[in-house]
Amino acid sequence: MEENGLITTLVAAIVLAFVLGFIAQRLKLSPLVGYLLAGVAAGPHSPGFTADIHLALQLSEVGVILLMFGVGLKISIDDIWSVRWVSVPGSLFQTIFVAVLGAGVGLALHMPVAEAIILGTSLSVASTVVFLRALDDRRLMKTEAGRISVSWLLVEDFVIILAIVVLPSLVTATSGGSEVSLTSVLLAVGATLGKIAVFVALMLIIGGRFFPWLIVQIAHTKSRELLSLGTLALALGVAYAAYFWFGASFALGAFLGGLALNGSKFSHKVAEDSLPLRDTFAVLFFVAVGMLFDPTVLVRQPLEVAALVAVVVIGKALLAWLP
C-alpha cells in the first residue's frame, strides 16, 4: 500500500473533494466547505481509510506556489506600490495586535508562555490561499481593495518569516532555557532581511529581464506542452530557490517569480494555461488542511475553540475595518 501512497492520496483527495464540493455547492455553501470536509474524511481523525497526510501537505505547497505565481502575473509592482501607505502600517498593526490578543487568550486558557506566543503568532497571519481564492472568485483582484489585500498578505508573509527566525529564541527564553542574547537575535533578523532583500533585487532586476525573454523563446517553439512545462518549472524553481538559498517562503518566491514575468506579452497566456493545474492543487491545499482537523476538539474543548474563532473572525475583522 505504501508504494502507491502518492496515487492513493491523490485519488482519495480529488474524488472526495469533487463529491463533497459538489454537494456543498448544491446546498448553497462554498465548495471550500466540501473540500475541507473531504480532508476530514480522509484524515487520521476519522474512521476508515486514511490518506498520507505528509504527501498531502507537500502537494498542498504546490497549490500555494502556483496560486501565488498566478497572483504575481496579475498584480504589478505599481499596483502594490500605490497602496503601500495603507497596507504596510495596517498589516503590521493588525498582525502585532492580533498576536498579542491571541497570546492573551492562550494565557487565559492556562497555556505556558511559550505556547501562548506561538498560538498568538499563528492566529495573526491570514491564510493566503483562502483569502486570494475569495478575491479571485469575486473578481476583486484588480480593484483597489484587491491590491491592498495582496500587499497586506505580502507584509504578513515577511512578518511570519521573521517570526520563524525570532520565535525559537523567544521560546527558549520564556521556557527557562539558556540565556538568549539580544545581539544574536538582531543579527539573525538582519541576516534574514538581507537575504530576502538580495532575492527581491535578483527577481526584479535580473528576473524581470530574463524570465520574459525565456518565455518568449519557449513560445517561439510553438509547443503548448513546452510552454506549460516551462511555466511550471519557472514557478516551482523560483519558489524552491527562494526557500532553499534565501530563507524565504515558497509563496513569496513564487509571487516574486510571477511579478518578474508580469507585463510580458505572454503573461496572460501563461496565467490562462496554468489555471487548471493551479485550481486542482489549490483544492489539495484545502483537503490537506481538513486532514489536520480533529472534529472531537469541538466536543472536548468547545469554549477554547470559540475563543480562538472570536479572535480570528471578530478581532481581525474589527482591526481591518478601523481606518
Side-chain angles (χ1 to χ4, degrees):
M1 190 70 177
E2 290 184 0
E3 63 270 17
N4 295 321
L6 177 60
I7 297 176
T8 305
T9 300
L10 274 175
V11 170
I14 292 174
V15 172
L16 285 172
F18 167 71
V19 173
L20 295 177
F22 179 77
I23 293 173
Q25 182 75 37
R26 295 299 297 246
L27 294 175
K28 308 299 182 183
L29 299 172
S30 171
L32 300 186
V33 176
Y35 305 154
L36 291 170
L37 290 176
V40 174
H45 304 292
S46 298
F49 169 77
T50 300
D52 190 322
I53 190 170
H54 301 292
L55 284 175
L57 289 172
Q58 291 186 50
L59 291 171
S60 72
E61 286 286 1
V62 178
V64 174
I65 290 170
L66 294 177
L67 180 67
M68 292 303 294
F69 185 75
V71 172
L73 290 172
K74 294 179 181 179
I75 301 293
S76 67
I77 297 176
D78 293 336
D79 291 333
I80 297 173
W81 190 252
S82 65
V83 297
R84 65 192 184 281
W85 298 117
V86 176
S87 59
V88 174
S91 180
L92 289 175
F93 173 74
Q94 186 195 60
T95 301
I96 294 171
F97 193 89
V98 173
V100 173
L101 183 62
V105 171
L107 292 174
L109 296 175
H110 308 293
M111 285 185 174
V113 175
E115 292 183 15
I117 292 174
I118 294 175
L119 175 65
T121 305
S122 302
L123 294 176
S124 68
V125 181
S127 171
T128 302
V129 176
V130 175
F131 202 44
L132 293 180
R133 185 68 177 267
L135 287 175
D136 209 22
D137 289 345
R138 292 166 175 77
R139 294 179 173 83
L140 296 174
M141 195 73 75
K142 294 294 290 183
T143 64
E144 183 179 9
R147 293 195 298 270
I148 292 173
S149 299
V150 172
S151 183
W152 198 291
L153 288 172
L154 287 175
V155 175
E156 286 190 352
D157 200 32
F158 278 113
V159 171
I160 199 61
I161 291 170
L162 295 178
I164 291 172
V165 175
V166 175
L167 273 178
S169 299
L170 290 178
V171 169
T172 300
T174 56
S175 300
S178 57
E179 185 176 350
V180 178
S181 168
L182 177 62
T183 303
S184 64
V185 173
L186 291 177
L187 286 174
V189 171
T192 301
L193 288 174
K195 288 192 291 184
I196 293 175
V198 170
F199 177 70
V200 171
L202 286 174
M203 285 296 101
L204 298 183
I205 298 173
I206 299 177
R209 291 174 173 82
F210 176 69
F211 293 163
W213 173 85
L214 179 62
I215 290 296
V216 168
Q217 303 310 307
I218 297 173
H220 284 165
T221 65
K222 303 187 186 308
S223 170
R224 183 187 183 96
E225 292 82 4
L226 280 178
L227 183 60
S228 299
L229 191 60
T231 301
L232 185 61
L234 185 61
L236 296 176
V238 171
Y240 183 77
Y243 173 79
F244 187 76
W245 283 313
F246 297 94
S249 65
F250 289 123
L252 180 61
F255 174 79
L256 289 173
L259 198 65
L261 195 57
N262 185 291
S264 68
K265 61 181 180 179
F266 288 105
S267 60
H268 292 294
K269 174 67 174 172
V270 167
E272 181 182 344
D273 287 350
S274 63
L275 186 60
L277 193 63
R278 190 166 73 236
D279 287 345
T280 301
F281 277 97
V283 168
L284 293 177
F285 169 83
F286 295 106
V287 175
V289 171
M291 292 175 69
L292 295 172
F293 178 64
D294 181 3
T296 62
V297 74
L298 299 176
V299 178
R300 291 184 285 106
Q301 297 174 298
L303 295 179
E304 290 85 346
V305 172
L308 297 180
V309 170
V311 171
V312 175
V313 176
I314 299 175
K316 294 196 75 167
L318 286 175
L319 288 169
W321 176 79
L322 291 174

mmCIF file with all atom_site columns, all heavy atoms in Angstrom, residues 290-311:
data_model
loop_
_atom_site.group_PDB
_atom_site.id
_atom_site.type_symbol
_atom_site.label_atom_id
_atom_site.label_alt_id
_atom_site.label_comp_id
_atom_site.label_asym_id
_atom_site.label_entity_id
_atom_site.label_seq_id
_atom_site.pdbx_PDB_ins_code
_atom_site.Cartn_x
_atom_site.Cartn_y
_atom_site.Cartn_z
_atom_site.occupancy
_atom_site.B_iso_or_equiv
_atom_site.pdbx_formal_charge
_atom_site.auth_seq_id
_atom_site.auth_comp_id
_atom_site.auth_asym_id
_atom_site.auth_atom_id
_atom_site.pdbx_PDB_model_num
ATOM 1   N N   . GLY A 1 290 ? -7.983  20.121 5.967  1.00 0.00 ? 290 GLY A N   1
ATOM 2   C CA  . GLY A 1 290 ? -9.025  19.317 6.589  1.00 0.00 ? 290 GLY A CA  1
ATOM 3   C C   . GLY A 1 290 ? -8.476  18.077 7.264  1.00 0.00 ? 290 GLY A C   1
ATOM 4   O O   . GLY A 1 290 ? -8.983  17.640 8.308  1.00 0.00 ? 290 GLY A O   1
ATOM 5   N N   . MET A 1 291 ? -7.436  17.487 6.695  1.00 0.00 ? 291 MET A N   1
ATOM 6   C CA  . MET A 1 291 ? -6.825  16.297 7.282  1.00 0.00 ? 291 MET A CA  1
ATOM 7   C C   . MET A 1 291 ? -6.181  16.583 8.642  1.00 0.00 ? 291 MET A C   1
ATOM 8   O O   . MET A 1 291 ? -6.026  15.689 9.476  1.00 0.00 ? 291 MET A O   1
ATOM 9   C CB  . MET A 1 291 ? -5.793  15.713 6.328  1.00 0.00 ? 291 MET A CB  1
ATOM 10  C CG  . MET A 1 291 ? -6.375  15.115 5.060  1.00 0.00 ? 291 MET A CG  1
ATOM 11  S SD  . MET A 1 291 ? -5.121  14.549 3.889  1.00 0.00 ? 291 MET A SD  1
ATOM 12  C CE  . MET A 1 291 ? -4.449  13.150 4.779  1.00 0.00 ? 291 MET A CE  1
ATOM 13  N N   . LEU A 1 292 ? -5.799  17.826 8.867  1.00 0.00 ? 292 LEU A N   1
ATOM 14  C CA  . LEU A 1 292 ? -5.175  18.198 10.137 1.00 0.00 ? 292 LEU A CA  1
ATOM 15  C C   . LEU A 1 292 ? -6.198  18.426 11.242 1.00 0.00 ? 292 LEU A C   1
ATOM 16  O O   . LEU A 1 292 ? -5.838  18.500 12.423 1.00 0.00 ? 292 LEU A O   1
ATOM 17  C CB  . LEU A 1 292 ? -4.346  19.481 9.953  1.00 0.00 ? 292 LEU A CB  1
ATOM 18  C CG  . LEU A 1 292 ? -3.137  19.400 9.021  1.00 0.00 ? 292 LEU A CG  1
ATOM 19  C CD1 . LEU A 1 292 ? -2.558  20.789 8.799  1.00 0.00 ? 292 LEU A CD1 1
ATOM 20  C CD2 . LEU A 1 292 ? -2.088  18.471 9.586  1.00 0.00 ? 292 LEU A CD2 1
ATOM 21  N N   . PHE A 1 293 ? -7.472  18.556 10.859 1.00 0.00 ? 293 PHE A N   1
ATOM 22  C CA  . PHE A 1 293 ? -8.509  18.924 11.825 1.00 0.00 ? 293 PHE A CA  1
ATOM 23  C C   . PHE A 1 293 ? -9.054  17.698 12.545 1.00 0.00 ? 293 PHE A C   1
ATOM 24  O O   . PHE A 1 293 ? -9.431  16.706 11.918 1.00 0.00 ? 293 PHE A O   1
ATOM 25  C CB  . PHE A 1 293 ? -9.639  19.656 11.104 1.00 0.00 ? 293 PHE A CB  1
ATOM 26  C CG  . PHE A 1 293 ? -10.784 20.040 12.005 1.00 0.00 ? 293 PHE A CG  1
ATOM 27  C CD1 . PHE A 1 293 ? -10.587 20.950 13.031 1.00 0.00 ? 293 PHE A CD1 1
ATOM 28  C CD2 . PHE A 1 293 ? -12.040 19.489 11.837 1.00 0.00 ? 293 PHE A CD2 1
ATOM 29  C CE1 . PHE A 1 293 ? -11.625 21.309 13.871 1.00 0.00 ? 293 PHE A CE1 1
ATOM 30  C CE2 . PHE A 1 293 ? -13.090 19.844 12.666 1.00 0.00 ? 293 PHE A CE2 1
ATOM 31  C CZ  . PHE A 1 293 ? -12.880 20.753 13.682 1.00 0.00 ? 293 PHE A CZ  1
ATOM 32  N N   . ASP A 1 294 ? -9.104  17.787 13.855 1.00 0.00 ? 294 ASP A N   1
ATOM 33  C CA  . ASP A 1 294 ? -9.682  16.728 14.687 1.00 0.00 ? 294 ASP A CA  1
ATOM 34  C C   . ASP A 1 294 ? -11.069 17.178 15.139 1.00 0.00 ? 294 ASP A C   1
ATOM 35  O O   . ASP A 1 294 ? -11.184 18.061 16.004 1.00 0.00 ? 294 ASP A O   1
ATOM 36  C CB  . ASP A 1 294 ? -8.785  16.471 15.895 1.00 0.00 ? 294 ASP A CB  1
ATOM 37  C CG  . ASP A 1 294 ? -9.314  15.367 16.793 1.00 0.00 ? 294 ASP A CG  1
ATOM 38  O OD1 . ASP A 1 294 ? -10.350 14.762 16.442 1.00 0.00 ? 294 ASP A OD1 1
ATOM 39  O OD2 . ASP A 1 294 ? -8.698  15.107 17.844 1.00 0.00 ? 294 ASP A OD2 1
ATOM 40  N N   . PRO A 1 295 ? -12.143 16.614 14.593 1.00 0.00 ? 295 PRO A N   1
ATOM 41  C CA  . PRO A 1 295 ? -13.501 17.071 14.936 1.00 0.00 ? 295 PRO A CA  1
ATOM 42  C C   . PRO A 1 295 ? -13.834 16.936 16.415 1.00 0.00 ? 295 PRO A C   1
ATOM 43  O O   . PRO A 1 295 ? -14.676 17.680 16.940 1.00 0.00 ? 295 PRO A O   1
ATOM 44  C CB  . PRO A 1 295 ? -14.400 16.163 14.085 1.00 0.00 ? 295 PRO A CB  1
ATOM 45  C CG  . PRO A 1 295 ? -13.532 15.645 12.989 1.00 0.00 ? 295 PRO A CG  1
ATOM 46  C CD  . PRO A 1 295 ? -12.172 15.539 13.586 1.00 0.00 ? 295 PRO A CD  1
ATOM 47  N N   . THR A 1 296 ? -13.211 15.998 17.097 1.00 0.00 ? 296 THR A N   1
ATOM 48  C CA  . THR A 1 296 ? -13.554 15.788 18.506 1.00 0.00 ? 296 THR A CA  1
ATOM 49  C C   . THR A 1 296 ? -13.157 16.960 19.393 1.00 0.00 ? 296 THR A C   1
ATOM 50  O O   . THR A 1 296 ? -13.651 17.072 20.526 1.00 0.00 ? 296 THR A O   1
ATOM 51  C CB  . THR A 1 296 ? -12.870 14.517 19.034 1.00 0.00 ? 296 THR A CB  1
ATOM 52  O OG1 . THR A 1 296 ? -11.443 14.657 18.951 1.00 0.00 ? 296 THR A OG1 1
ATOM 53  C CG2 . THR A 1 296 ? -13.304 13.300 18.232 1.00 0.00 ? 296 THR A CG2 1
ATOM 54  N N   . VAL A 1 297 ? -12.293 17.856 18.888 1.00 0.00 ? 297 VAL A N   1
ATOM 55  C CA  . VAL A 1 297 ? -11.896 19.008 19.691 1.00 0.00 ? 297 VAL A CA  1
ATOM 56  C C   . VAL A 1 297 ? -13.090 19.930 19.938 1.00 0.00 ? 297 VAL A C   1
ATOM 57  O O   . VAL A 1 297 ? -13.138 20.653 20.939 1.00 0.00 ? 297 VAL A O   1
ATOM 58  C CB  . VAL A 1 297 ? -10.751 19.783 19.000 1.00 0.00 ? 297 VAL A CB  1
ATOM 59  C CG1 . VAL A 1 297 ? -11.263 20.586 17.801 1.00 0.00 ? 297 VAL A CG1 1
ATOM 60  C CG2 . VAL A 1 297 ? -10.065 20.725 19.991 1.00 0.00 ? 297 VAL A CG2 1
ATOM 61  N N   . LEU A 1 298 ? -14.075 19.897 19.033 1.00 0.00 ? 298 LEU A N   1
ATOM 62  C CA  . LEU A 1 298 ? -15.274 20.718 19.207 1.00 0.00 ? 298 LEU A CA  1
ATOM 63  C C   . LEU A 1 298 ? -16.092 20.250 20.406 1.00 0.00 ? 298 LEU A C   1
ATOM 64  O O   . LEU A 1 298 ? -16.830 21.040 21.009 1.00 0.00 ? 298 LEU A O   1
ATOM 65  C CB  . LEU A 1 298 ? -16.135 20.665 17.942 1.00 0.00 ? 298 LEU A CB  1
ATOM 66  C CG  . LEU A 1 298 ? -15.479 21.176 16.664 1.00 0.00 ? 298 LEU A CG  1
ATOM 67  C CD1 . LEU A 1 298 ? -16.399 20.982 15.469 1.00 0.00 ? 298 LEU A CD1 1
ATOM 68  C CD2 . LEU A 1 298 ? -15.105 22.644 16.813 1.00 0.00 ? 298 LEU A CD2 1
ATOM 69  N N   . VAL A 1 299 ? -15.973 18.973 20.744 1.00 0.00 ? 299 VAL A N   1
ATOM 70  C CA  . VAL A 1 299 ? -16.692 18.414 21.892 1.00 0.00 ? 299 VAL A CA  1
ATOM 71  C C   . VAL A 1 299 ? -15.839 18.522 23.156 1.00 0.00 ? 299 VAL A C   1
ATOM 72  O O   . VAL A 1 299 ? -16.333 18.842 24.240 1.00 0.00 ? 299 VAL A O   1
ATOM 73  C CB  . VAL A 1 299 ? -17.070 16.937 21.625 1.00 0.00 ? 299 VAL A CB  1
ATOM 74  C CG1 . VAL A 1 299 ? -17.773 16.341 22.833 1.00 0.00 ? 299 VAL A CG1 1
ATOM 75  C CG2 . VAL A 1 299 ? -17.943 16.833 20.381 1.00 0.00 ? 299 VAL A CG2 1
ATOM 76  N N   . ARG A 1 300 ? -14.545 18.281 23.015 1.00 0.00 ? 300 ARG A N   1
ATOM 77  C CA  . ARG A 1 300 ? -13.651 18.274 24.168 1.00 0.00 ? 300 ARG A CA  1
ATOM 78  C C   . ARG A 1 300 ? -13.356 19.671 24.700 1.00 0.00 ? 300 ARG A C   1
ATOM 79  O O   . ARG A 1 300 ? -13.244 19.879 25.904 1.00 0.00 ? 300 ARG A O   1
ATOM 80  C CB  . ARG A 1 300 ? -12.339 17.565 23.813 1.00 0.00 ? 300 ARG A CB  1
ATOM 81  C CG  . ARG A 1 300 ? -12.485 16.063 23.584 1.00 0.00 ? 300 ARG A CG  1
ATOM 82  C CD  . ARG A 1 300 ? -11.153 15.387 23.343 1.00 0.00 ? 300 ARG A CD  1
ATOM 83  N NE  . ARG A 1 300 ? -10.623 15.635 22.015 1.00 0.00 ? 300 ARG A NE  1
ATOM 84  C CZ  . ARG A 1 300 ? -9.619  16.427 21.723 1.00 0.00 ? 300 ARG A CZ  1
ATOM 85  N NH1 . ARG A 1 300 ? -8.989  17.069 22.693 1.00 0.00 ? 300 ARG A NH1 1
ATOM 86  N NH2 . ARG A 1 300 ? -9.209  16.582 20.481 1.00 0.00 ? 300 ARG A NH2 1
ATOM 87  N N   . GLN A 1 301 ? -13.189 20.636 23.789 1.00 0.00 ? 301 GLN A N   1
ATOM 88  C CA  . GLN A 1 301 ? -12.808 21.995 24.205 1.00 0.00 ? 301 GLN A CA  1
ATOM 89  C C   . GLN A 1 301 ? -13.618 23.045 23.441 1.00 0.00 ? 301 GLN A C   1
ATOM 90  O O   . GLN A 1 301 ? -13.059 23.871 22.715 1.00 0.00 ? 301 GLN A O   1
ATOM 91  C CB  . GLN A 1 301 ? -11.311 22.204 23.962 1.00 0.00 ? 301 GLN A CB  1
ATOM 92  C CG  . GLN A 1 301 ? -10.418 21.270 24.776 1.00 0.00 ? 301 GLN A CG  1
ATOM 93  C CD  . GLN A 1 301 ? -8.952  21.406 24.392 1.00 0.00 ? 301 GLN A CD  1
ATOM 94  O OE1 . GLN A 1 301 ? -8.567  21.141 23.261 1.00 0.00 ? 301 GLN A OE1 1
ATOM 95  N NE2 . GLN A 1 301 ? -8.138  21.823 25.343 1.00 0.00 ? 301 GLN A NE2 1
ATOM 96  N N   . PRO A 1 302 ? -14.934 23.054 23.598 1.00 0.00 ? 302 PRO A N   1
ATOM 97  C CA  . PRO A 1 302 ? -15.760 23.989 22.820 1.00 0.00 ? 302 PRO A CA  1
ATOM 98  C C   . PRO A 1 302 ? -15.510 25.454 23.148 1.00 0.00 ? 302 PRO A C   1
ATOM 99  O O   . PRO A 1 302 ? -15.498 26.316 22.250 1.00 0.00 ? 302 PRO A O   1
ATOM 100 C CB  . PRO A 1 302 ? -17.195 23.571 23.180 1.00 0.00 ? 302 PRO A CB  1
ATOM 101 C CG  . PRO A 1 302 ? -17.064 22.902 24.514 1.00 0.00 ? 302 PRO A CG  1
ATOM 102 C CD  . PRO A 1 302 ? -15.741 22.214 24.488 1.00 0.00 ? 302 PRO A CD  1
ATOM 103 N N   . LEU A 1 303 ? -15.298 25.774 24.420 1.00 0.00 ? 303 LEU A N   1
ATOM 104 C CA  . LEU A 1 303 ? -15.090 27.172 24.806 1.00 0.00 ? 303 LEU A CA  1
ATOM 105 C C   . LEU A 1 303 ? -13.764 27.699 24.275 1.00 0.00 ? 303 LEU A C   1
ATOM 106 O O   . LEU A 1 303 ? -13.665 28.849 23.824 1.00 0.00 ? 303 LEU A O   1
ATOM 107 C CB  . LEU A 1 303 ? -15.142 27.308 26.330 1.00 0.00 ? 303 LEU A CB  1
ATOM 108 C CG  . LEU A 1 303 ? -16.499 26.983 26.983 1.00 0.00 ? 303 LEU A CG  1
ATOM 109 C CD1 . LEU A 1 303 ? -16.417 27.140 28.495 1.00 0.00 ? 303 LEU A CD1 1
ATOM 110 C CD2 . LEU A 1 303 ? -17.587 27.906 26.423 1.00 0.00 ? 303 LEU A CD2 1
ATOM 111 N N   . GLU A 1 304 ? -12.735 26.869 24.335 1.00 0.00 ? 304 GLU A N   1
ATOM 112 C CA  . GLU A 1 304 ? -11.425 27.278 23.836 1.00 0.00 ? 304 GLU A CA  1
ATOM 113 C C   . GLU A 1 304 ? -11.481 27.534 22.325 1.00 0.00 ? 304 GLU A C   1
ATOM 114 O O   . GLU A 1 304 ? -10.936 28.537 21.836 1.00 0.00 ? 304 GLU A O   1
ATOM 115 C CB  . GLU A 1 304 ? -10.376 26.203 24.137 1.00 0.00 ? 304 GLU A CB  1
ATOM 116 C CG  . GLU A 1 304 ? -10.016 26.073 25.610 1.00 0.00 ? 304 GLU A CG  1
ATOM 117 C CD  . GLU A 1 304 ? -10.965 25.165 26.376 1.00 0.00 ? 304 GLU A CD  1
ATOM 118 O OE1 . GLU A 1 304 ? -12.047 24.869 25.823 1.00 0.00 ? 304 GLU A OE1 1
ATOM 119 O OE2 . GLU A 1 304 ? -10.624 24.761 27.502 1.00 0.00 ? 304 GLU A OE2 1
ATOM 120 N N   . VAL A 1 305 ? -12.151 26.641 21.606 1.00 0.00 ? 305 VAL A N   1
ATOM 121 C CA  . VAL A 1 305 ? -12.291 26.823 20.162 1.00 0.00 ? 305 VAL A CA  1
ATOM 122 C C   . VAL A 1 305 ? -13.071 28.092 19.853 1.00 0.00 ? 305 VAL A C   1
ATOM 123 O O   . VAL A 1 305 ? -12.706 28.867 18.958 1.00 0.00 ? 305 VAL A O   1
ATOM 124 C CB  . VAL A 1 305 ? -12.982 25.596 19.529 1.00 0.00 ? 305 VAL A CB  1
ATOM 125 C CG1 . VAL A 1 305 ? -13.303 25.858 18.058 1.00 0.00 ? 305 VAL A CG1 1
ATOM 126 C CG2 . VAL A 1 305 ? -12.110 24.356 19.660 1.00 0.00 ? 305 VAL A CG2 1
ATOM 127 N N   . ALA A 1 306 ? -14.149 28.338 20.590 1.00 0.00 ? 306 ALA A N   1
ATOM 128 C CA  . ALA A 1 306 ? -14.963 29.536 20.373 1.00 0.00 ? 306 ALA A CA  1
ATOM 129 C C   . ALA A 1 306 ? -14.142 30.806 20.616 1.00 0.00 ? 306 ALA A C   1
ATOM 130 O O   . ALA A 1 306 ? -14.271 31.798 19.880 1.00 0.00 ? 306 ALA A O   1
ATOM 131 C CB  . ALA A 1 306 ? -16.185 29.505 21.284 1.00 0.00 ? 306 ALA A CB  1
ATOM 132 N N   . ALA A 1 307 ? -13.288 30.785 21.640 1.00 0.00 ? 307 ALA A N   1
ATOM 133 C CA  . ALA A 1 307 ? -12.465 31.963 21.943 1.00 0.00 ? 307 ALA A CA  1
ATOM 134 C C   . ALA A 1 307 ? -11.483 32.253 20.811 1.00 0.00 ? 307 ALA A C   1
ATOM 135 O O   . ALA A 1 307 ? -11.296 33.410 20.407 1.00 0.00 ? 307 ALA A O   1
ATOM 136 C CB  . ALA A 1 307 ? -11.717 31.742 23.252 1.00 0.00 ? 307 ALA A CB  1
ATOM 137 N N   . LEU A 1 308 ? -10.856 31.199 20.271 1.00 0.00 ? 308 LEU A N   1
ATOM 138 C CA  . LEU A 1 308 ? -9.891  31.390 19.182 1.00 0.00 ? 308 LEU A CA  1
ATOM 139 C C   . LEU A 1 308 ? -10.593 31.833 17.904 1.00 0.00 ? 308 LEU A C   1
ATOM 140 O O   . LEU A 1 308 ? -10.072 32.680 17.159 1.00 0.00 ? 308 LEU A O   1
ATOM 141 C CB  . LEU A 1 308 ? -9.118  30.090 18.952 1.00 0.00 ? 308 LEU A CB  1
ATOM 142 C CG  . LEU A 1 308 ? -8.250  29.617 20.127 1.00 0.00 ? 308 LEU A CG  1
ATOM 143 C CD1 . LEU A 1 308 ? -7.535  28.326 19.763 1.00 0.00 ? 308 LEU A CD1 1
ATOM 144 C CD2 . LEU A 1 308 ? -7.246  30.687 20.528 1.00 0.00 ? 308 LEU A CD2 1
ATOM 145 N N   . VAL A 1 309 ? -11.770 31.282 17.647 1.00 0.00 ? 309 VAL A N   1
ATOM 146 C CA  . VAL A 1 309 ? -12.540 31.705 16.463 1.00 0.00 ? 309 VAL A CA  1
ATOM 147 C C   . VAL A 1 309 ? -12.918 33.177 16.594 1.00 0.00 ? 309 VAL A C   1
ATOM 148 O O   . VAL A 1 309 ? -12.880 33.939 15.615 1.00 0.00 ? 309 VAL A O   1
ATOM 149 C CB  . VAL A 1 309 ? -13.795 30.831 16.287 1.00 0.00 ? 309 VAL A CB  1
ATOM 150 C CG1 . VAL A 1 309 ? -14.720 31.426 15.221 1.00 0.00 ? 309 VAL A CG1 1
ATOM 151 C CG2 . VAL A 1 309 ? -13.398 29.409 15.899 1.00 0.00 ? 309 VAL A CG2 1
ATOM 152 N N   . ALA A 1 310 ? -13.277 33.602 17.808 1.00 0.00 ? 310 ALA A N   1
ATOM 153 C CA  . ALA A 1 310 ? -13.632 35.003 18.030 1.00 0.00 ? 310 ALA A CA  1
ATOM 154 C C   . ALA A 1 310 ? -12.446 35.923 17.748 1.00 0.00 ? 310 ALA A C   1
ATOM 155 O O   . ALA A 1 310 ? -12.609 37.009 17.176 1.00 0.00 ? 310 ALA A O   1
ATOM 156 C CB  . ALA A 1 310 ? -14.124 35.197 19.460 1.00 0.00 ? 310 ALA A CB  1
ATOM 157 N N   . VAL A 1 311 ? -11.246 35.492 18.135 1.00 0.00 ? 311 VAL A N   1
ATOM 158 C CA  . VAL A 1 311 ? -10.049 36.312 17.868 1.00 0.00 ? 311 VAL A CA  1
ATOM 159 C C   . VAL A 1 311 ? -9.863  36.510 16.363 1.00 0.00 ? 311 VAL A C   1
ATOM 160 O O   . VAL A 1 311 ? -9.596  37.616 15.889 1.00 0.00 ? 311 VAL A O   1
ATOM 161 C CB  . VAL A 1 311 ? -8.795  35.644 18.475 1.00 0.00 ? 311 VAL A CB  1
ATOM 162 C CG1 . VAL A 1 311 ? -7.530  36.371 18.014 1.00 0.00 ? 311 VAL A CG1 1
ATOM 163 C CG2 . VAL A 1 311 ? -8.872  35.657 19.987 1.00 0.00 ? 311 VAL A CG2 1
#
